[in-house]
Amino acid sequence: MREPLSYELFREAGIYCSRVGYARVSLTISGKVDRQPHGLYTVVEQVDKRFLKDRYGSAKGLLMKPSTFGAFRYFGEEWDEYQIGFVPKTKPTEEQKQRVIEFARLIHKSKDDVFEEKVESYLDVDQFLRFLAVNVLLTNLDSFLGGNQNHYIYLEPESNKFQFLPWDMDHSFGAFPLMGDSNARRRLSIDRPVTDNPPIIDRVLQVSGNKEKYHAYIEEYMNTIFDEEVMLKKIESIGTFVRPMVNLNGDDAESRFDQVLAEEPSWREQHPLKYFVKVRHESIRAQLNGSSHGQSVGFGG
């Protein structure tokens, strides 16, 4: 349920992202097995050239799926290292290669006044702030927030600016076990979610007006797409649709599924969706009114 709920939120925030469905998978081997059940799965649309043509009308930009353990890292002035760390999914032109290197250098090497002057010529800042806001609302730490993976970057050809796209959100809703405990993740800081924030987050939010705009997006989403009542209805709706099929995943699947939908954590399930939404709202409201700073998390604590 975390994947379809998360993708829907990104989509409602105006972020291009994958469509999600469900599949009951069975196996047939002629003469041996006939439609043997293998469980219920989510089916997630691949981000590829077809995706780009459908969303952007063109696939001429540079699509990358970084796995760099550092968001938009600077690897120097030669492309070979970027080829390894940024993992291009489309063939880059020489101009696109140079664009990646220039922006990485700007993030990690420029002085504050230079960064503020030039960042909007490289980054779709408004799109980035909305992308960041939804990730933080969902405490989606297995992403560019934490391990700096599970996202795509697209150098959109018309604007020649970078946009960030979400991917692989099965650990959203505060379920990523490698960073902080479940209580800290539900109360994650909106400004410093990670003890050592990726430089691109800190630098973008330090530009005049950006933190205010970012907070305004969070508040807007809290009152609309992530409104507590709206989210509880979404969780109930998907739960009603999925529950009749979860027994395909084992004899105890239904009881485990019900714990995910519970109003409070249990000894067995520490990440119930409704409880996350309730506590996340309380924490973010307190942060927006200045009565709390939230909690930052890091790997192993």
Side-chain angles (χ1 to χ4, degrees):
M1 291 177 66
R2 294 185 182 97
E3 294 251 44
L5 285 165
S6 298
Y7 278 114
E8 184 174 356
L9 277 171
F10 276 100
R11 194 158 33 249
E12 291 174 336
I15 304 294
Y16 290 142
C17 60
S18 301
R19 293 169 289 189
V20 184
Y22 291 97
R24 290 182 287 192
V25 178
S26 61
L27 174 67
T28 296
I29 302 175
S30 181
K32 294 185 178 181
V33 176
D34 183 34
R35 298 184 63 83
Q36 183 183 74
H38 272 257
L40 177 67
Y41 290 80
T42 48
V43 180
V44 182
E45 180 185 16
Q46 183 62 54
V47 178
D48 54 17
K49 285 187 176 182
R50 287 179 301 177
F51 174 96
L52 297 175
K53 288 178 181 177
D54 180 74
R55 304 312 196 275
Y56 293 94
S58 167
K60 294 181 179 179
L62 175 58
L63 179 67
M64 302 177 289
K65 190 176 184 293
S67 184
T68 59
F69 296 99
F72 223 111
R73 284 181 65 182
Y74 177 65
F75 289 114
E77 296 300 309
E78 299 299 325
W79 176 253
D80 288 352
E81 291 293 326
Y82 295 89
Q83 180 79 25
I84 296 170
F86 281 70
V87 196
K89 297 297 182 179
T90 55
K91 186 175 181 179
T93 65
E94 291 303 314
E95 292 79 8
Q96 289 169 341
K97 293 177 185 178
Q98 192 59 36
R99 193 74 171 161
V100 173
I101 294 171
E102 288 173 1
F103 187 42
R105 187 196 316 127
L106 181 72
I107 294 168
H108 295 276
K109 298 294 182 180
S110 67
K111 293 183 178 179
D112 289 344
D113 59 338
V114 174
F115 181 84
E116 182 162 355
E117 177 189 348
K118 293 187 175 181
V119 62
E120 290 206 22
S121 65
Y122 286 91
L123 178 68
D124 186 335
V125 173
D126 183 77
Q127 193 268 357
F128 180 78
L129 294 175
R130 289 182 282 116
F131 175 79
L132 176 62
V134 178
N135 274 293
V136 169
L137 284 173
L138 290 169
T139 310
N140 184 35
L141 291 166
D142 191 18
S143 68
F144 91 122
L145 290 179
N148 297 299
Q149 56 184 0
N150 292 336
H151 65 286
Y152 285 87
I153 299 174
Y154 187 51
L155 180 54
E156 197 277 318
E158 283 196 25
S159 66
N160 205 23
K161 295 181 181 182
F162 294 98
Q163 294 188 2
F164 284 66
L165 310 175
W167 182 252
D168 193 359
M169 292 184 283
D170 59 328
H171 283 110
S172 59
F173 286 84
F176 189 49
L178 301 182
M179 301 187 76
D181 59 29
S182 54
N183 187 57
R185 294 193 293 270
R186 286 188 282 264
R187 291 171 168 79
L188 193 75
S189 168
I190 60 176
D191 292 336
R192 182 155 291 278
V194 179
T195 51
D196 187 15
N197 261 1
I200 188 173
I201 295 177
D202 282 341
R203 300 209 73 178
V204 169
L205 292 183
Q206 285 165 7
V207 171
S208 177
N210 281 352
K211 183 176 285 189
E212 292 78 8
K213 190 172 185 180
Y214 166 64
H215 284 189
Y217 275 131
I218 289 180
E219 186 155 19
E220 175 189 338
Y221 298 157
M222 290 277 285
N223 294 324
T224 55
I225 62 176
F226 196 71
D227 173 79
E228 187 171 348
E229 186 175 341
V230 168
M231 285 303 302
L232 295 183
K233 286 181 178 178
K234 286 181 180 179
I235 292 167
E236 282 289 339
S237 177
I238 293 181
T240 299
F241 176 75
V242 171
R243 195 180 189 283
M245 298 180 282
V246 297
N247 59 8
L248 295 170
N249 291 356
D251 293 339
D252 65 341
E254 287 189 7
S255 63
R256 288 188 287 117
F257 185 76
D258 289 341
Q259 289 168 17
V260 172
L261 291 176
E263 302 284 349
E264 300 283 343
S266 67
W267 67 270
R268 189 173 183 181
E269 175 54 64
Q270 293 298 305
H271 312 293
L273 297 175
K274 293 178 183 177
Y275 185 69
F276 173 88
V277 171
K278 174 186 173 183
V279 178
R280 196 79 188 106
H281 262 261
E282 292 172 355
S283 175
I284 292 176
R285 293 289 183 201
Q287 292 181 59
L288 289 174
N289 69 30
S291 62
S292 170
H293 296 296
Q295 294 185 237
S296 302
V297 299
F299 280 100

